[in-house]
Amino acid sequence: MQREEERFVATHPKSKTLFERACQSLLGGVPMNWMAKWAGAFPVFVADARGAHFTDVDGHEYVDLCLGDTGAMTGHSPRPAVQAIAEQAAQGITFMLPTENAIWVGEELKRRFGLPYWQFCLTATDANRFSIRLAREVTQRKLVLVFNYCYHGTVDESFITLKDGGPAPRRGNIGPPVDPALTTRVVEFNDVDALEKALASREVACVLCEPALTNVGIVHPEPGYHDALRRLTRQYGSLLIVDETHTICAGPGGFTREHNLDPDFFVLGKPLASGLPAATYGFTQEVGERVLQRVKVEDCDTGGIGGTLAGNALSLAAMRATLEHVLTPAAFRHMIPLAEQFTSGVEAAIREFGVPWHVTRLGCRAEYLFTDQRPRNGAQAAAAMDFELERFMHLYALNRGVLLTPFHNMALMSPATTSSDVDQHTRIFREAVSELVR
Ligand SMILES: Cc1ncc(COP(=O)(O)O)c(C=O)c1O
């Protein structure tokens, strides 16, 4: 690790100089606190990016498997989105009035994901927050249910974990407005009995879930789990919010369409506008009607749902171009086999060196975990995390021209990623593991 850290510093003098300057005006030298989490003494500063590659200020080129933690799953700056953004930017960016693109996007979301009504905001966090508010309003219930070790953005209600069998604030929860145990029930993913117990008192307004956990490695639902989740939420009158911000990697219609889910709300952000801030939440006819009945026009601007720039013309132009030309079925037909190639390359090295790890895939996303047992819930997956080992793997890859996400060991394929990009990772991964076991 020391050798890798020294190599990183020695080969990134310009990033180092910029970081030192950044420390004078940015807290911790980074524009956003989580950028401090990159392996290495400082983050690399980006010079430019295109497709699946970027170049840093020191002139190193990287294969980008992080892709803005899904924000750039489209590849960086895909041409149709850049063109639509440039055209719209020259014709007005935000109006507080709709453009026709909003209708095109609404119609496409309805066709793709099956829900009839859609609204827009700027981040997936907000899409989740607004969906929770609507669910509370229409059910007239207070509680939210989430799964242990979920992540849904900076949604206050979701920063809760199970500790010694009971709810506790998630480690690192900064200045929580209230104890999350007052707002939230938390259960393990894939545990139908616990789910039923938590819903049975009929106090839960909504279950907020990823259809497969993706933020603590990848944890797949067990056969029949989603049927049980839908049956129990209906039985006890709770609404079901499916957050597909990451699981859109499963296919053009997300996990929902791949597996015939039937949620009350559908949330999508991050890559929806090729990385421009944009997110959406869709809901059923019944939810839509109940919302319209309850919300008065006079109060609709101060109801706790909104944002001045939400639904702006620029992000809607980018969403249209992304849905029409970038995140297409053909793109997924290219991306998913690359994730399969990634998985088999990593698997081969794990087997060759006999390390007790495994690799999982969901659509065009793959991730390796430091345990040979496939976790069935968040607690098991979290127990397999090894921060020091993660940092070593990330830095080893970074020093050899491959960027993984700074959080766990995720790799994502874009429409611009190539088979040789994946091979480059496989070679480096094999070399890293061979050094570890030597
Ligand atoms: C499943 C899921 N939902 C929502 C979010 C929040 O997205 P954003 O930070 O863009 O608001 C994330 C972020 O990682 C996520 O993984």
Side-chain angles (χ1 to χ4, degrees):
M1 187 67 181
Q2 194 183 335
R3 183 197 72 199
E4 293 299 317
E5 280 170 348
E6 286 167 6
R7 172 173 169 166
F8 177 78
V9 172
T11 52
H12 295 83
K14 289 190 178 152
S15 277
K16 181 170 184 286
T17 305
L18 287 178
F19 180 68
E20 283 161 0
R21 190 175 130 210
C23 285
Q24 306 306 309
S25 62
L26 307 175
L27 187 68
V30 286
M32 184 69 239
N33 56 359
W34 40 249
M35 288 189 198
K37 208 167 175 182
W38 287 105
F42 44 80
V44 293
F45 281 70
V46 176
D48 59 72
R50 175 57 63 91
H53 292 213
F54 75 94
T55 308
D56 71 12
V57 289
D58 287 292
H60 305 294
E61 191 179 326
Y62 299 85
V63 172
D64 191 352
L65 297 177
C66 165
L67 293 169
D69 196 23
T70 313
M73 191 178 109
T74 51
H76 295 289
S77 301
R79 214 177 292 281
V82 170
Q83 195 180 334
I85 290 166
E87 281 170 11
Q88 186 62 52
Q91 293 168 23
I93 292 170
T94 191
F95 309 116
M96 288 194 103
L97 288 169
T99 53
E100 197 176 337
N101 281 337
I103 308 173
W104 191 97
V105 174
E107 288 168 350
E108 170 62 10
L109 293 170
K110 182 172 175 173
R111 188 193 67 76
R112 263 196 202 217
F113 302 119
L115 286 158
Y117 292 117
W118 295 85
Q119 293 279 277
F120 301 100
C121 49
L122 297 183
T123 66
T125 297
D126 270 353
N128 283 325
R129 289 179 45 233
F130 300 159
S131 299
I132 289 171
R133 272 189 174 259
L134 292 181
R136 283 188 169 130
E137 183 63 29
V138 300
T139 60
Q140 290 293 294
R141 295 180 182 181
K142 290 214 170 70
L143 296 180
V144 175
L145 185 144
V146 298
F147 294 108
N148 199 24
Y149 286 99
C150 67
Y151 186 76
H152 295 283
T154 52
V155 175
D156 288 321
E157 290 89 341
S158 65
F159 287 101
I160 188 165
T161 46
L162 283 169
K163 199 170 171 207
D164 305 324
R170 187 157 183 170
R171 198 175 116 188
N173 192 357
I174 299 169
V178 292
D179 179 350
L182 296 174
T183 59
T184 310
R185 297 244 162 102
V186 53
V187 298
E188 290 291 4
F189 195 58
N190 280 325
D191 184 341
V192 176
D193 291 342
L195 177 68
E196 177 152 23
K197 230 164 126 191
L199 295 177
S201 65
R202 297 179 181 270
E203 293 168 280
V204 172
C206 57
V207 172
L208 172 60
C209 74
E210 280 194 283
L213 303 184
T214 67
N215 281 296
V216 59
I218 296 171
V219 181
H220 291 276
E222 289 176 346
Y225 185 67
H226 276 290
D227 290 340
L229 175 60
R230 188 62 280 200
R231 178 174 50 77
L232 292 171
T233 44
R234 289 222 167 95
Q235 183 176 336
Y236 295 111
S238 304
L239 296 172
L240 179 60
I241 305 173
V242 171
D243 175 357
E244 292 255 22
T245 301
H246 279 179
T247 51
I248 186 66
C249 62
F255 195 102
T256 290
R257 277 297 162 105
E258 287 295 310
H259 297 273
N260 293 317
L261 306 189
D262 184 19
D264 297 301
F265 289 84
F266 183 107
V267 164
L268 180 59
K270 294 201 186 185
L272 178 59
S274 296
L276 212 70
T280 188
Y281 52 110
F283 38 84
T284 59
Q285 182 78 27
E286 192 188 345
V287 169
E289 284 170 8
R290 284 160 79 182
V291 169
L292 286 180
Q293 278 163 14
R294 298 192 67 87
V295 179
K296 292 201 177 73
V297 169
E298 190 176 349
D299 303 322
C300 68
D301 55 335
T302 52
I305 286 178
T308 310
L309 301 180
N312 71 75
L314 187 64
S315 55
L316 277 155
M319 279 185 238
R320 175 175 180 164
T322 304
L323 291 167
E324 192 171 5
H325 301 296
V326 186
L327 291 181
T328 58
F332 280 89
R333 284 196 292 276
H334 171 78
M335 290 143 78
I336 292 174
L338 289 174
E340 287 167 351
Q341 183 190 334
F342 178 98
T343 307
S344 39
V346 167
E347 215 156 52
I350 289 173
R351 233 178 299 119
E352 181 182 351
F353 296 104
V355 285
W357 302 356
H358 77 276
V359 56
T360 324
R361 183 182 64 81
L362 177 65
C364 64
R365 167 183 304 257
E367 171 128 19
Y368 55 88
L369 228 73
F370 305 126
T371 169
D372 51 6
Q373 303 295 317
R374 281 174 198 272
R376 62 181 296 263
N377 60 42
Q380 290 175 6
M385 299 273 162
D386 183 329
F387 187 57
E388 198 182 0
L389 187 50
E390 261 176 34
R391 285 178 82 78
F392 171 77
M393 295 302 287
H394 294 183
L395 192 57
Y396 198 97
L398 192 66
N399 278 335
R400 290 156 185 79
V402 172
L403 188 78
L404 294 160
T405 44
F407 323 118
H408 40 107
N409 307 306
M410 189 276 284
L412 194 62
M413 309 299 144
S414 77
T417 309
T418 64
S419 181
S420 72
D421 293 335
V422 176
D423 281 345
Q424 186 173 337
H425 174 269
T426 306
R427 259 193 322 275
I428 292 165
F429 178 84
R430 186 188 170 282
E431 199 183 313
V433 180
S434 82
E435 285 215 59
L436 279 172
V437 301
R438 196 181 288 162

